[in-house]
Amino acid sequence: MKILCVVFGVVLLLEGCGSDSYVVRCSGAVGVSGSAGVAATSNPQVARYTFEAPGPGTVTVDFGVDTRYGRSTGAVKASGQGPVSVLVAGMLARTTYHMRAEFTPDAGGPAQPDSDQTFTTGDVPCKFTAVIQASTAAGKNPQPGIELVDGLNAGSLPAPVATDLQGNIIWTYPFEDESAGVAAYPVRMLSNGDLLMLVGHNSSTLLADPAGVDAASEVREIDLAGDTVRSLKVTSLNATLAAKGAGLLLNDFSHDILPLSNGHFLVLAATEKSVADNVSGTPTRVLGDAIIDLDASLQPVWTWNTFDHLDVNRHPYLFPDWTHANSVSYDPIDGSLILSLRHQNWVLKIDYGNGGGDGAIEWKLGPGGDFALLKADGSLDANPADWFYSQHDAEYLGTDSSGRVTFSIMDNGDDRKFSDGTSCPVTGGNACYTTIPIMQIDEAAKTAKFLFHDVLPPSQYSFFGGNTEVLANGDVQYDLAALRGNNASVTEVTGSASPQMVWSLEIGDALVYRASRWPSLYPGVQW
C-alpha cells in the first residue's frame, strides 16, 4: 500500500503504509486532447472519443495508462457509416491515457481496432477536497469494481463521485447547482449508460418555508460528462398533476428515484397537509410523502400518498416531518413496492400491482407493525431495541422457494427503544448505536428474523443516511453516512456471523447519502 499526498503542489509518495489516501490538488484545468479524434469535455476526467464507423455495428473504447489498456467502455451503437462518439470515463486525474476504439460489425466478422490515441486528464474540480483513505485487510479480496459515493452538499464532497478501490477519485459530477442545502442524490445507472438522480433541498427543510414548493427540485438524467440529457422540474410535474385532477401538490422530489425495467421511474416526493391538532384543534403543517410512477416520457401514470393510507396521529419521531420516506424498492415477484418511512420506524409493502394496484398497505414491518421478531433459535425476541429505528434504504433482495422475502436495511437507530423504557437519544447507560441488518420475513406467518445483524459500537453511530447492500461475492457493504459530526465511512465485511473487515473507505469532512459498489461506470462492464 502507499499514500499519495499533494501538499502545496508537492507530491509525496509514502511506501509501506496500510492504506491509500488521496488528497485532491486542483487548478481548474480540464482534460487536454492528445490525439485527433479524442476531445476534452466539461468534465476534466472524461474524454469524448469520435470514431468513423464503416457501417452498422458497435463501438467500444479500450483505455489505460499504457497500450495494454486494461479497461473498456460500454458499447455504443453505430446505425450506419459515420461518426460515433463514446464517452471515456473512469480515469485518474492529471494522467496521460492510451485509448483505442474497436468496431464490431453487425454483419459479423472480426473486430476492427482503431490506431492508438492519447488523452491527458485534468484536475479533480477544486470543490472536491475530501481526504479519502482506502484500506484492504491483509489476505482479503474486495468485490471488484468501483465505489459510487453520493456526496451531499456539506463539507468537501458536495456532489457524487466515483473512486477506485485504492481511494482515487476517477469520476465526479461537476455540480453547477451547488448552493446552501442543495444536493444531487441518489445516483442510479440507467440501461443506456446515463445516470439518474434528484436535485434539490432536503424535504424537511421546506416546513420552514411558507411557500412550501422547492422550485429548484428536479429529476435529472445526465451523461458521464455531466451534461444534462433531460430533466423534470417539480413545478412542471405539479402542473401536470393539477391538469389530471390528481389532487396532489408536491413540495419537492426527495430521497430516492428508481428506474424500472419497463422504462418507468418511481420517484419519492414530499407533500404536505394542514392537520388540526386532535387536542387543541390548531392547524399544523404536516409533511408526508408520495410515490409518483413516471412513464418513459416522464409523465405521471400512478400516484400514492401517505395521507390516504396512514393515521396522521401516529407519529413516533420528529413530527410534523411525519413520515420522511427515504427509499422505494420493487418486488418483481408480485409487482409490489417496498417503502422505508424513517419517522414511522416502519418499512411498508404497498400494492402497486405493476401500476395497476390500489395502493393498499399489505403489511408494516418494524416496531408496532404486523410482524413478530424472532431470535436465531426461533423463539420470540421481546427486546424492543433489536428492531430497526429511523432507518434508511430498505432494499428488496429476493424471495426464496418458500416465499420468504429478504431485505437489506440501514438501521441508524436514532429513535431506538430500550427495554427499560428509555429511547435514543438518552443521557444514561443506554447509548445510541447503529446496526447493519439483513432481514428475512415470512409473510404468511408474520414473523421476521435476521440473516445477518452486525451491531456496531456506539463510536460508529451514524445518525442519518447510509445504506446496506449484499455484494456479488457474498460480502456485505454498508455506508455510515454521518460519523463523528461530518465524516463518513464505507465498509465491506464478510457475510459471516462474526463479520470481518475486508475493505473500507474513510471520507473526512463529508456526508455520504449512499455508497454502492458498481462493476464499472458502464452497464454490463466489469472492471
Side-chain angles (χ1 to χ4, degrees):
M1 293 291 194
K2 59 190 176 183
I3 291 181
L4 173 65
C5 296
V6 183
V7 183
F8 301 117
V10 178
V11 179
L12 306 177
L13 185 62
L14 307 179
E15 299 290 351
C17 302
S19 62
D20 291 339
S21 179
Y22 184 73
V23 181
V24 172
R25 180 186 70 181
C26 62
S27 66
V30 299
V32 179
S33 174
S35 300
V38 182
T41 68
S42 56
N43 189 315
Q45 291 174 266
V46 178
R48 186 180 301 278
Y49 193 124
T50 301
F51 176 77
E52 288 290 332
T58 57
V59 179
T60 59
V61 175
D62 298 327
F63 64 100
V65 295
D66 55 35
T67 53
R68 291 174 294 182
Y69 304 112
R71 286 187 171 178
S72 296
T73 68
V76 175
K77 179 66 178 175
S79 57
Q81 185 176 2
V84 175
S85 290
V86 181
L87 291 172
V88 182
M91 298 182 282
L92 297 170
R94 307 179 304 277
T95 304
T96 297
Y97 275 80
H98 291 261
M99 51 187 66
R100 182 183 64 186
E102 188 170 86
F103 174 75
T104 302
D106 285 347
Q112 302 170 25
D114 193 12
S115 58
D116 181 69
Q117 311 291 323
T118 60
F119 179 83
T120 301
T121 57
D123 294 328
V124 172
C126 294
K127 65 182 71 177
F128 297 96
T129 58
V131 177
I132 301 175
Q133 180 170 301
S135 301
T136 300
K140 300 295 186 181
N141 295 307
Q143 168 64 33
I146 66 168
E147 197 67 26
L148 196 288
V149 178
D150 290 339
L152 296 179
N153 191 325
S156 57
L157 203 70
V161 305
T163 76
D164 60 21
L165 297 189
Q166 290 71 50
N168 301 304
I169 294 177
I170 59 171
W171 178 84
T172 67
Y173 177 36
F175 190 43
E176 299 301 329
D177 308 70
E178 184 181 356
S179 62
V182 176
Y185 73 108
V187 179
R188 303 275 197 176
M189 182 182 288
L190 299 176
S191 59
N192 64 1
D194 287 345
L195 304 177
L196 188 69
M197 66 189 69
L198 305 179
V199 174
H201 293 83
N202 186 301
S203 60
S204 59
T205 65
L206 298 182
L207 282 174
D209 179 5
V213 176
D214 179 8
S217 185
E218 67 177 272
V219 171
R220 184 178 296 176
E221 180 181 341
I222 65 170
D223 62 22
L224 284 172
D227 296 325
T228 298
V229 176
R230 58 177 176 162
S231 68
L232 174 66
K233 292 280 190 180
V234 72
T235 49
S236 296
L237 181 55
N238 275 333
T240 302
L241 290 170
K244 289 176 173 284
L248 179 62
L249 178 68
L250 308 176
N251 291 53
D252 74 338
F253 298 121
S254 172
H255 289 88
D256 208 0
I257 184 166
L258 179 68
L260 300 179
S261 59
N262 64 354
H264 287 214
F265 306 100
L266 297 172
V267 62
L268 296 184
T271 185
E272 70 175 70
K273 185 176 181 179
S274 181
V275 177
D277 183 273
N278 57 3
V279 176
S280 67
T282 303
T284 299
R285 289 177 63 201
V286 176
L287 199 66
D289 292 282
I291 306 171
I292 315 297
D293 179 0
L294 301 171
D295 66 17
S297 300
L298 300 181
Q299 295 297 302
V301 293
W302 186 89
T303 63
W304 185 91
N305 188 347
T306 51
F307 288 107
D308 296 334
H309 297 278
L310 291 167
D311 180 5
V312 75
N313 293 305
R314 183 188 189 273
H315 39 76
Y317 189 56
L318 294 185
F319 189 75
D321 187 1
W322 170 47
T323 50
H324 203 97
N326 55 37
S327 73
V328 61
S329 187
Y330 173 71
D331 181 345
I333 301 300
D334 59 10
S336 62
L337 301 182
I338 308 301
L339 180 68
S340 170
L341 297 180
R342 170 173 165 85
H343 291 177
Q344 295 288 309
N345 302 320
W346 275 348
V347 172
L348 309 182
K349 181 176 181 178
I350 296 168
D351 179 13
Y352 169 62
N354 291 315
D358 63 5
I361 296 174
E362 299 186 12
W363 48 248
K364 309 175 186 78
L365 176 67
D370 300 322
F371 291 80
L373 185 62
L374 303 181
K375 297 180 181 178
D377 62 5
S379 62
L380 180 67
D381 185 345
N383 184 1
D386 289 342
W387 277 109
F388 53 81
Y389 292 86
S390 307
Q391 77 286 341
H392 274 77
D393 198 35
E395 294 286 341
Y396 170 87
L397 297 179
T399 303
D400 69 12
S401 58
S402 299
R404 292 171 296 200
V405 182
T406 303
F407 306 93
S408 62
I409 300 172
M410 167 54 63
D411 169 27
N412 296 100
D414 300 11
D415 191 40
R416 194 176 308 282
K417 312 297 185 187
F418 298 102
S419 56
D420 64 2
T422 61
S423 302
C424 170
V426 293
T427 55
N430 294 317
C432 299
Y433 61 89
T434 294
T435 81
I436 312 302
I438 307 293
M439 300 193 75
Q440 185 181 76
I441 66 168
D442 186 322
E443 293 179 297
K446 290 294 189 291
T447 57
K449 66 179 182 179
F450 296 110
L451 300 181
F452 177 93
H453 197 209
D454 197 357
V455 179
L456 303 180
S459 61
Q460 292 184 283
Y461 168 54
S462 178
F463 70 91
F464 95 100
N467 63 302
T468 299
E469 63 180 359
V470 178
L471 303 179
N473 63 358
D475 288 348
V476 175
Q477 177 174 282
Y478 55 87
D479 163 35
L480 301 178
L483 285 173
R484 301 176 298 279
N486 198 37
N487 301 284
S489 176
V490 183
T491 306
E492 176 183 346
V493 298
T494 59
S496 55
S498 299
Q500 302 297 308
M501 198 278 277
V502 175
W503 176 88
S504 70
L505 196 70
E506 303 296 325
I507 305 171
D509 189 30
L511 303 176
V512 173
Y513 180 66
R514 290 183 192 167
S516 299
R517 186 70 48 83
W518 287 6
S520 72
L521 284 169
Y522 299 90
V525 177
Q526 177 70 65
W527 287 350

